[in-house]
Amino acid sequence: MTEAVKKLKDWIEHSDNIVFFGGAGVSTESGIPDFRSTDGLYNQQYDYPPETILSHSFYEQKPEEFFRFYRNKMLCLDAKPNAAHRKLAEWEAQGRLKAVITQNIDGLHQKAGSRNVLELHGSVLRNYCTKCGAFHGVEDIVNSTGVPRCQCGGIIKPDVVLYEEGLDEDVMMRSVSAIRRADVLMIGGTSLTVYPAAGLVRYYRGNKLVVINKTDLGAGADLTITEPIGEVMAQI
């Protein structure tokens, strides 16, 4: 165990108000591809760039192509929680961790047992009819072809924030509130480049800001660990 990990372990053991803010790197260790790594979705070849396909305007204009990509690349339903997900759920059960704020849409935090999860970009597990508002599980997307339709004839849209769409204001406000009150703020597996989510960090008022990321993005952090987050969390 490195000195940095020992220091983090000490901070965790003496805190009862931890907030975790995570991105794609938390789920890559569960086999879910991210967007920006060398083998991520942005570096694979499609007729359109993934960022274009996952935009609101593309969804509106080319829904069949949108859903073809969405089924093939965005649904990783066999993925299992890794050591990071499990440790966070353990800390919550102990009363140490107050919230998980995530940019991920895979539902793995909840699968690991976390309850207070603030999903900034929504979840693939929730889907709604754009016509009647009826809820649909992810199986209604998986088991359909072309554009998935509700019994009423409306399109079933994933409850995922697409490019060009705004974040849920209630989720944002709850995230701001949790970060402001946090003793320890842990940031893991995120490049902190996607706004407005990345801007949440500025609301932290404490002096135990931890960044755990394979790429050194810890400028301004009180503790930086450049190791895979699952490997770090398994040691604590």
Side-chain angles (χ1 to χ4, degrees):
M1 185 183 294
T2 66
E3 289 302 314
V5 175
K6 287 179 182 178
K7 187 172 186 179
L8 174 59
K9 188 174 187 291
D10 181 67
W11 284 0
I12 298 301
E13 289 175 349
H14 292 88
S15 176
D16 62 358
N17 195 342
I18 305 162
V19 170
F20 180 83
F21 178 22
V26 179
S27 292
T28 52
E29 292 174 60
S30 292
I32 295 180
D34 69 356
F35 279 82
R36 293 176 174 81
S37 67
T38 55
D39 57 349
L41 292 180
Y42 279 153
N43 294 288
Q44 298 178 26
Q45 297 299 313
Y46 301 98
D47 291 340
Y48 303 90
E51 192 168 21
T52 297
I53 299 174
L54 295 173
S55 68
H56 182 82
S57 56
F58 191 93
Y59 161 80
E60 292 279 348
Q61 295 163 12
K62 298 180 182 292
E64 288 199 7
E65 184 69 11
F66 169 86
F67 280 106
R68 187 172 72 87
F69 177 88
Y70 184 82
R71 288 188 189 94
N72 289 341
K73 297 298 180 182
M74 304 305 292
L75 299 179
C76 303
L77 303 181
D78 293 331
K80 300 288 192 296
N82 60 52
H85 299 105
R86 294 192 295 270
K87 182 62 70 172
L88 292 167
E90 178 185 315
W91 290 343
E92 181 180 328
Q94 294 171 349
R96 298 181 187 279
L97 184 132
K98 303 305 182 188
V100 169
I101 303 167
T102 181
Q103 295 171 296
N104 297 332
I105 58 176
D106 49 50
L108 288 180
H109 286 292
Q110 292 92 329
K111 192 178 287 188
S114 291
R115 296 177 180 274
N116 190 20
V117 182
L118 299 170
E119 296 172 309
L120 295 173
H121 296 157
S123 171
V124 299
L125 303 181
R126 297 189 302 270
N127 305 271
Y128 297 92
C129 174
T130 56
K131 185 176 180 181
C132 72
F135 173 84
H136 290 266
V138 68
E139 64 277 358
D140 290 340
I141 302 286
V142 174
N143 296 329
S144 63
T145 57
V147 179
R149 297 279 179 179
C150 177
Q151 290 182 339
C152 75
I155 296 177
I156 300 174
K157 183 178 185 293
D159 187 19
V160 170
V161 179
L162 303 177
Y163 291 101
E164 304 168 351
E165 295 180 343
L167 301 189
D168 183 281
E169 289 188 11
D170 179 62
V171 174
M172 283 290 285
M173 291 305 297
R174 289 165 62 196
S175 299
V176 168
S177 179
I179 288 173
R180 276 181 168 158
R181 296 196 306 267
D183 175 18
V184 176
L185 175 60
M186 297 180 62
I187 300 172
T190 174
S191 59
L192 293 176
T193 58
V194 179
Y195 285 82
L200 288 170
V201 179
R202 72 175 184 269
Y203 292 101
Y204 180 56
R205 298 290 181 262
N207 60 358
K208 295 183 178 68
L209 174 60
V210 184
V211 172
I212 306 173
N213 204 65
K214 287 190 290 187
T215 304
D216 186 359
L217 298 166
D222 300 295
L223 182 62
T224 302
I225 302 174
T226 53
E227 300 174 41
I229 188 167
E231 294 179 13
V232 173
M233 300 287 262
Q235 299 177 61
I236 300 175

